[in-house]
Amino acid sequence: MTDTNLRPGGIIPVDAFEHASPKDLEWLTSSTLVVVVMGASGDLAKKKTYPSLLNLYDDNLLPQNTMIIGYARSKLTNDDLRDRLRPFLLKTSHSEVVVERFLQRCVYQGGKSYGDLDAFEEMKGRMEEFEAKHSAESSHANRLYYFAIPPNVFADTGLAIKEKGMQDDAKGWTRLIVEKPFGRDLESFEVLNKTLSQHFNEEMMFRIDHYLGKEMVQNLTVLRFSNIWFERVWNSENIKCVMLTFKEPFGTDGRGGYFDKYGIIRDILQNHLLQVLTLLAMEAPHVLEGPKAGKAIRDAKVAVLNAIEPIRPEDVVLGQYENYADDPTIENKDTNTPTFATIRLFVNTPRWHGVPFIMKAGKALNERKAEMRVQFKDAPAADYLFQGTDTPRNELVMRMQPHEAMYMKTNVKSPGFTAKPVQSELEVNYDTRFFAHQKEANPDAYTRLILDVLQGKQAAFVRDDELRRAWEIFTPILHSIEKDGLQPIIYPQGGRGPPESDKFIADNAGYVRNEDYVFYEGSVARKSEGTNKQPSKSEPKKGYTDDELCDVGLFGLAVMGQNFALNMAEHGFKVCVGNRSPAKVELTVKRAADEGNLPIVGATNPEDLVARLSKPRKIVILVQAGKPVDDMVSTLARYMQPGDVIIDGGNEWFPNSIRRAEFLEPKGIHFIGMGISGGEEGARKGPSLMPGGPKDAYDLVAPILTKCAAEVGDYTCAGYLGPVGAGNYVKMVHNGIEYGDMQLIAEVYDVLKNVLNMTNEEMADLFDEWNKTELESYLIEITAKILRKKDDLTDEGYVVDKILDKTGMKGTGKWTIQEAAEKGVAAPTMASALDVRMISARKEERVEAEKVLAGPSNTGIEANKEQVLDDLKAALYASKVCSYAQGLSLIRAASEEHKWNVDLSECARLWTGGCIIRAKVLDRIQKAFKENPTLPNLLVDKDFSNEINERSGAWRRVVALCITSGTGCPSLCNSLSYFDTYRRGRLTANLTQAQRDYFGGHTYERTDQEGRFHAQWTDAHKDIGDASKRTAGENLQTLSSFN
């Protein structure tokens, strides 16, 4: 592991150890180092820990005799680990040669768990062997453990390290870097802290908060205590308020399941911003450098925390961005987890008496920013001196991200003939001031913090008493949110957050926002009259040449939108993209460059998007259904012209598309409602597209859609379905069929797992085998993959077994069942699937019900496994056909009512590729309706009826097995009931209708005579007159397709 040629001359950066003595550097110059990354296969390790170690390696800030062991529960070799790390390391600025040299130092140690003593014993042997090999040239052998693992495995890991991984104090040190979260509240912190402190003392533990490694945060002590003017004004006599802000322009983006457990307060305020606040407000420690600095600085920080009272509800404004709960990973759709919070608190010391400190953080806002902002009081007598002219307050702004900078908003004379004060700034931008003419870059937070650990510097790490007091401050408000149901204010994405926050800050902190001031990189611009605003780089160009114009626009850049834009660009169309969050636009343009210099350009706003398109303009919108679509259509329509086309690609309720088309029709703008199926992967590689709208509008966009859709044989899965509304309806029913198909597979899985006791691997093999038969489909294919997927998070067991048994839904399944009821079409397979999802959501109720509701007493059912497997295959196929039959019958009924003239064979064709319900059987469904367009129901097609009849015995045996074993099978059972009910020429509805006539006089028809009749069932029943007039509102028609 020795490498004597890390960089030319083996030069160590001179500023890394400016005041270090030779003894202080023994850990680097004459010691071995073993770094153990616990959780080496996780994202944190790959994206942060290993790249930071690479930075230190390339700067010669690791001992020459260094070994890095990655520990996880995955079964990997050394080369497997290196292959996983390589893509992340190559994204850094380091050369490929340096990356490969670094990777040779990285080895892998697997274990059954994070407390696997056998694995730790093996790792101990490897460490001791490495240390012995270099003992002659090393005075010490040090060990560093990096906990890139969840807190629930801290205890087992700590015990294993204590028993097998500690270095003898005489030989060197043992240190631990521990990542947050440090608990959820005061109680959980105490449990977690006790777990670690029973094995390790405080000097060994380094609790990392990466904000304490940021340049601007570390600059605070220098700024405050090395400038004579600073401390003179740093008090309540001069400062009006202090504001700490964190803003992100994006939401949870698929991480909602994790975020919803913590919320913005735990994620940002309780740790990052509170740590910054303590450095801003603390008194001068007695020393800032040297071995005693760590204790001195942290003592000063704790003194600040002790002067802050617990937060009360009246000191808080909470927010949640619109459609936050639509994130599919969020299970509780009624969640009150805040994505935005503004909190006011006071530091009750003489220096800060009466000064409000505001901490504000939020997601899905208008920009990415983290900053410290100190607003000073009004200049004395300024109103009199400048004859009532507004004199803005001074502000010191320290920006942590992006592009670290400091600037003081200072009043200067307005240019020209007047002496009016106008605000400018004194600015230091770190990138331009210190790094513009150098190859070096500012080290990132993780790199500098790991280096601090190696040196034993603890000032930038969080001590246990700091955390304890932080939780004492925040736990009451967190419990108010979670136990008392404190509700957040809903705010639109892409803005400043809830307006109530700005009002709260103005009313309760006295902060005055200078609306006439805008800060630009390297320049200042004012909105006041008489000045010329400098154009921002993001302002739209007013005109574009023909060569600059794009073929199509797309607004809405969540992952689906990004992927569909890249898909269109990959097929040769020049695409202009827009989004409320500029960061998403930049990300999409960057992805286009990274994925082959695809022709995608970004627009700054909707007007710019329209201006960049060739005529007639074609714009796809992929935003949240409902009001966001209305807002987007209304906005775009202001800039579009007659003949232009708007295509809504979201899951939308079809009457909304009809309404929007009617709104646009007087303007001459065409509207297409288009269903898109295939998920994120389909959007990128080829989805199924189901458009409905004016035929001439479809003809304008057909060249784009047909090229970008999935390909199956000689055709693509895009085609015209009918007038506006038809495409949304077909997509809605597609999703209903999808509900049914997924539930059928889940019920078969239940039998395989809980009746036949098959393992995940055995079930995966079975689904793989079935996917080569008439059951071949996308859902069968991915089911096999899901069952095989090992759990990367814990490296134990399978992912599917760790997933909570609560199924989410977005509404299209519910719409389908509502429509089936409205249209008088039976859809029991899909309705049962919806019922199960609703029951699954009542997890707590089910857990309690399990304690009191009994299943069959005979649980030891003996079954011929091979027979059951054959029967399950047959039952699944028959039920799947029923699901398609019900869905297509519903589309036919709607088409007849709305006069859409939807071709059912075309629906089946569009579903053969790209979409979620794509399946081999759709080829034959397409053929059936192609040969007989008036086929009343798929079940009566000659080929399908023969297949279902052949499988009916197996189907019945499966349902019987489920019933006798107490295994719920509502969709399998109701599919069979649908078949049995539909195949009978005479049902028991005669009795039901007789009952209706008995109690309500609803009349009935007879089998032997024409007309409507009413029976005088008892002496109390009187003559109701003309029976034919008693049927108003009744749904008694015979569908024309059955005539």
Side-chain angles (χ1 to χ4, degrees):
M1 296 290 173
T2 302
D3 185 348
T4 57
N5 189 26
L6 304 185
R7 286 170 55 178
I11 300 172
I12 296 171
V14 293
D15 65 337
F17 313 110
E18 193 169 355
H19 303 292
S21 67
K23 185 173 181 57
D24 292 334
L25 293 178
E26 284 182 354
W27 68 268
L28 176 64
T29 57
S30 60
S31 299
T32 61
L33 174 66
V34 176
V35 180
V36 181
V37 181
M38 305 300 301
S41 60
D43 278 355
L44 176 63
K46 291 183 288 190
K47 295 178 180 179
K48 296 295 183 182
T49 312
Y50 278 99
S52 297
L53 291 169
L54 171 61
N55 292 339
L56 295 174
Y57 169 82
D58 196 19
D59 276 342
N60 291 317
L61 295 176
L62 292 179
Q64 292 202 4
N65 298 323
T66 295
M67 176 170 68
I68 302 170
I69 303 175
Y71 185 102
R73 289 170 288 195
S74 305
K75 293 182 179 179
L76 303 176
T77 65
N78 293 341
D79 287 338
D80 290 337
L81 175 67
R82 292 163 185 159
D83 289 343
R84 290 193 179 192
L85 296 175
R86 188 174 287 106
F88 296 92
L89 302 181
L90 289 175
K91 290 180 182 179
T92 66
S93 59
H94 305 282
S95 71
E96 187 173 347
V97 173
V98 170
V99 169
E100 291 303 324
R101 287 179 180 171
F102 172 76
L103 285 172
Q104 291 309 305
R105 293 172 171 262
C106 300
V107 298
Y108 184 74
Q109 175 68 53
K112 295 178 182 178
S113 68
Y114 283 105
D116 185 346
L117 293 180
D118 291 336
F120 270 80
E121 181 68 34
E122 182 181 340
M123 184 166 65
K124 175 184 177 183
R126 296 173 74 176
M127 291 191 290
E128 289 177 345
E129 181 182 356
F130 174 76
E131 291 163 352
K133 178 180 177 182
H134 300 288
S135 60
E137 62 217 70
S138 302
S139 59
H140 296 91
N142 300 316
R143 297 178 185 176
L144 171 63
Y145 293 87
Y146 196 115
F147 278 30
I149 50 179
N152 63 308
V153 294
F154 281 4
D156 291 343
T157 308
L159 178 61
I161 293 173
K162 183 68 175 178
E163 292 197 12
K164 302 290 184 180
M166 296 289 289
Q167 181 60 283
D168 189 324
D169 290 343
K171 294 181 179 180
W173 47 251
T174 304
R175 291 172 184 162
L176 284 71
I177 299 178
V178 183
E179 278 279 355
K180 73 166 191 165
F182 309 117
R184 288 180 48 80
D185 54 17
L186 179 60
E187 181 181 0
S188 59
F189 161 72
E190 295 290 10
V191 172
L192 181 61
N193 193 53
K194 182 179 179 182
T195 296
L196 288 176
S197 60
Q198 65 184 344
H199 301 307
F200 311 102
N201 61 45
E202 193 66 24
E203 286 70 31
M204 299 169 69
M205 281 193 288
F206 293 75
R207 299 177 190 85
I208 192 169
D209 183 329
H210 74 275
Y211 261 56
L212 293 177
K214 288 182 175 292
E215 181 74 36
M216 196 53 59
V217 176
Q218 295 203 339
N219 190 26
L220 283 174
T221 52
V222 176
L223 189 65
R224 284 193 56 190
F225 303 118
S226 68
N227 293 294
I228 191 171
W229 59 269
F230 208 98
E231 282 294 283
R232 302 283 176 88
V233 299
W234 208 245
N235 52 54
S236 59
E237 291 184 12
N238 299 286
I239 292 176
K240 181 66 177 178
C241 61
V242 178
M243 188 148 54
L244 308 175
T245 303
F246 172 93
K247 301 169 76 174
E248 286 181 332
F250 49 84
T252 54
D253 287 354
R255 291 182 62 252
Y258 170 82
F259 181 86
D260 200 56
K261 296 175 183 176
Y262 292 92
I264 197 70
I265 294 178
R266 290 187 181 93
D267 199 37
I268 302 297
L269 281 79
Q270 184 271 343
N271 42 66
H272 300 328
L273 295 190
L274 188 63
Q275 285 293 319
V276 174
L277 183 151
T278 59
L279 291 171
L280 276 170
M282 71 181 184
E283 298 298 322
H286 71 269
V287 64
L288 288 169
E289 283 290 335
K292 297 181 180 180
K295 182 179 185 304
I297 292 172
R298 294 193 290 184
D299 285 347
K301 290 167 63 183
V302 170
V304 173
L305 294 172
N306 286 333
I308 299 173
E309 295 181 346
I311 297 163
R312 304 166 300 173
E314 55 265 35
D315 295 323
V316 177
V317 174
L318 302 176
Q320 185 185 94
Y321 66 79
E322 285 180 340
N323 305 310
Y324 161 71
D326 286 348
D327 186 316
T329 63
I330 296 175
E331 295 167 357
N332 178 16
K333 298 305 178 184
D334 297 320
T335 175
N336 69 331
T337 298
T339 62
F340 176 99
T342 295
I343 291 178
R344 182 191 67 168
L345 48 80
F346 292 92
V347 179
N348 296 298
T349 63
R351 178 190 292 270
W352 295 111
H353 177 69
V355 176
F357 283 75
I358 298 291
M359 295 195 293
K360 181 173 74 171
K363 287 183 165 294
L365 300 178
N366 56 347
E367 60 184 327
R368 174 178 177 261
K369 181 171 71 175
E371 69 178 18
M372 302 167 267
R373 185 176 292 264
V374 179
Q375 186 170 85
F376 292 87
K377 292 183 176 180
D378 293 317
D383 285 349
Y384 177 80
L385 293 172
F386 295 100
Q387 296 297 298
T389 299
D390 180 46
T391 307
R393 292 176 179 172
N394 299 132
E395 284 187 19
L396 175 64
V397 182
M398 293 165 278
R399 191 175 61 210
M400 295 174 279
Q401 65 183 33
H403 312 303
E404 291 158 322
M406 286 185 296
Y407 56 96
M408 174 68 87
K409 291 167 68 172
T410 303
N411 295 317
V412 297
K413 175 185 174 297
S414 177
F417 296 108
T418 105
K420 175 184 176 181
V422 65
Q423 204 155 59
S424 184
E425 66 284 312
L426 308 174
E427 180 207 359
V428 175
N429 182 303
Y430 264 60
D431 288 341
T432 57
R433 174 65 178 85
F434 295 106
F435 299 106
H437 306 293
Q438 300 181 32
K439 293 183 180 179
E440 298 296 332
N442 216 0
D444 70 89
Y446 277 93
T447 300
R448 69 171 83 225
L449 289 173
I450 293 175
L451 181 60
D452 278 356
V453 176
L454 294 174
Q455 297 178 80
K457 293 183 175 181
Q458 293 193 310
F461 295 87
V462 187
R463 206 166 59 189
D464 59 347
D465 53 346
E466 287 182 75
L467 279 171
R468 182 174 294 106
R469 184 56 191 164
W471 282 122
E472 288 172 352
I473 294 168
F474 277 90
T475 293
I477 190 63
L478 291 169
H479 285 182
S480 292
I481 296 169
E482 293 164 353
K483 296 181 180 180
D484 301 335
L486 197 61
Q487 292 297 313
I489 300 163
I490 303 301
Y491 62 92
Q493 299 185 43
R496 289 176 50 80
E500 291 85 345
S501 171
D502 286 340
K503 186 176 187 306
F504 175 85
I505 293 170
D507 293 347
N508 295 281
Y511 180 80
V512 176
R513 190 164 181 260
N514 181 7
E515 297 289 349
D516 291 335
Y517 176 88
V518 180
F519 176 70
Y520 287 99
E521 296 294 334
S523 64
V524 62
R526 281 163 293 279
K527 298 177 185 175
S528 53
E529 219 173 292
T531 62
N532 295 317
K533 177 180 175 181
Q534 295 189 5
S536 159
K537 294 179 182 178
S538 63
E539 285 189 353
K541 186 176 175 181
K542 299 302 180 185
Y544 296 94
T545 66
D546 289 344
D547 289 340
E548 291 176 310
L549 294 178
C550 297
D551 301 306
V552 62
L554 187 146
F555 195 95
L557 295 173
V559 179
M560 279 285 288
Q562 291 180 35
N563 284 357
F564 194 58
L566 293 164
N567 180 351
M568 292 189 289
E570 195 166 59
H571 283 89
F573 299 101
K574 190 173 181 181
V575 185
C576 180
V577 296
N579 195 74
R580 282 193 298 180
S581 161
K584 291 285 181 70
V585 177
E586 295 173 6
L587 174 62
T588 306
V589 172
K590 183 178 185 302
R591 282 189 63 189
D594 293 342
E595 296 183 24
N597 290 320
L598 301 178
I600 290 182
V601 298
T604 57
N605 54 45
E607 181 182 8
D608 187 38
L609 177 69
V610 174
R612 286 176 176 269
L613 301 179
S614 59
K615 299 178 183 179
R617 304 176 183 92
K618 298 165 282 290
I619 299 178
V620 179
I621 55 177
L622 281 167
V623 299
Q624 294 285 349
K627 187 176 183 300
V629 178
D630 287 334
D631 293 343
M632 199 66 246
V633 168
S634 178
T635 299
L636 290 172
R638 291 202 293 267
Y639 310 114
M640 299 179 78
Q641 296 176 343
D644 292 345
V645 185
I646 295 176
I647 308 162
D648 174 25
N651 279 332
E652 187 56 270
W653 180 226
F654 75 98
N656 288 341
S657 289
I658 296 172
R659 173 176 53 79
R660 288 165 190 144
E662 292 171 348
F663 166 74
L664 292 171
E665 187 175 12
K667 307 175 189 294
I669 301 171
H670 300 301
F671 184 82
I672 293 175
M674 181 174 70
I676 302 178
S677 178
E680 297 171 1
E681 181 181 10
R684 182 66 181 87
K685 298 180 179 178
S688 170
L689 301 176
M690 294 158 262
K695 182 62 167 63
D696 52 349
Y698 171 76
D699 291 339
L700 290 173
V701 299
I704 299 173
L705 302 184
T706 52
K707 275 196 174 183
C708 298
E711 295 183 4
V712 178
D714 297 331
Y715 57 82
T716 63
C717 296
Y720 183 66
L721 286 172
V724 68
N728 297 119
Y729 203 94
V730 171
K731 175 57 166 58
M732 176 195 75
V733 174
H734 161 286
N735 285 18
I737 295 171
E738 176 186 309
Y739 271 48
D741 208 350
M742 294 168 71
Q743 179 59 28
L744 291 168
I745 294 172
E747 290 172 14
V748 170
Y749 161 74
D750 197 359
V751 176
L752 297 174
K753 180 180 179 65
N754 297 313
V755 178
L756 298 183
N757 297 313
M758 293 174 66
T759 67
N760 286 25
E761 294 294 339
E762 289 172 335
M763 290 187 284
D765 289 341
L766 181 66
F767 280 105
D768 276 337
E769 181 183 329
W770 284 356
N771 203 41
K772 300 171 185 174
T773 68
E774 69 271 19
L775 285 175
E776 179 185 333
S777 67
Y778 172 73
L779 286 171
I780 294 289
E781 174 190 337
I782 68 168
T783 300
K785 294 178 180 178
I786 288 168
L787 288 167
R788 292 191 200 282
K789 176 65 176 174
K790 298 291 183 64
D791 185 16
D792 290 338
L793 188 61
T794 64
D795 294 325
E796 287 184 349
Y798 296 84
V799 174
V800 70
D801 297 325
K802 306 291 177 63
I803 296 175
L804 185 67
D805 56 325
K806 290 170 66 174
T807 305
M809 52 184 174
K810 286 194 171 182
T812 47
K814 181 178 71 174
W815 293 344
T816 305
I817 304 310
Q818 288 174 337
E819 270 297 294
E822 287 287 336
K823 300 295 187 288
V825 176
T829 306
M830 296 181 278
S832 299
L834 182 65
D835 289 341
V836 173
R837 292 196 183 199
M838 290 187 288
I839 293 173
S840 80
R842 297 181 176 274
K843 173 70 173 178
E844 294 77 12
E845 285 185 38
R846 290 187 287 112
V847 170
E848 293 303 313
E850 186 178 35
K851 300 173 183 177
V852 296
L853 300 180
S857 58
N858 179 19
T859 57
I861 294 173
E862 294 184 6
N864 183 321
K865 182 177 178 180
E866 294 305 318
Q867 180 66 59
V868 173
L869 294 180
D870 289 341
D871 288 350
L872 284 169
K873 176 185 172 189
L876 180 56
Y877 179 77
S879 300
K880 186 184 184 81
V881 171
C882 284
S883 187
Y884 282 109
Q886 295 159 26
L888 291 166
S889 293
L890 178 55
I891 293 173
R892 180 192 295 282
S895 179
E896 291 179 352
E897 179 178 317
H898 297 287
K899 297 180 173 53
W900 286 335
N901 196 29
V902 175
D903 182 348
L904 297 186
S905 70
E906 181 70 353
C907 292
R909 184 186 74 80
L910 297 187
W911 293 343
T912 56
C915 70
I916 304 303
I917 64 171
R918 61 184 184 264
K920 182 178 181 179
V921 71
L922 280 162
D923 291 327
R924 295 176 50 239
I925 294 176
Q926 179 193 359
K927 180 174 178 288
F929 284 102
K930 191 86 169 174
E931 293 178 352
N932 185 5
T934 62
L935 186 69
N937 189 297
L938 182 63
L939 294 184
V940 298
D941 174 77
K942 180 180 177 182
D943 291 338
F944 281 106
S945 63
N946 287 337
E947 289 184 339
I948 302 301
N949 290 336
E950 290 170 1
R951 290 166 171 78
S952 65
W955 202 356
R956 298 178 199 286
R957 287 192 294 273
V958 167
V959 172
L961 175 63
C962 290
I963 292 171
T964 55
S965 64
T967 304
C969 63
S971 284
L972 284 169
C973 184
N974 283 334
S975 297
L976 178 58
S977 295
Y978 174 77
F979 168 78
D980 279 336
T981 305
Y982 184 71
R983 69 178 177 80
R984 292 178 60 185
R986 183 167 175 80
L987 297 173
T988 56
N990 53 326
L991 177 59
T992 305
Q993 190 64 17
Q995 292 170 330
R996 297 182 73 237
D997 187 54
Y998 186 102
F999 63 69
H1002 292 291
T1003 77
Y1004 53 85
E1005 295 177 277
R1006 296 177 62 95
T1007 60
D1008 57 348
Q1009 298 180 40
E1010 295 288 332
R1012 305 291 305 181
F1013 298 87
H1014 169 66
Q1016 292 186 348
W1017 300 99
T1018 69
D1019 291 342
H1021 287 82
K1022 304 298 183 183
D1023 185 5
I1024 62 172
D1026 186 353
S1028 64
K1029 295 181 179 180
R1030 300 281 292 181
T1031 60
E1034 296 256 328
N1035 185 9
L1036 294 170
Q1037 79 275 19
T1038 301
L1039 294 179
S1040 60
S1041 57
F1042 289 90
N1043 290 340

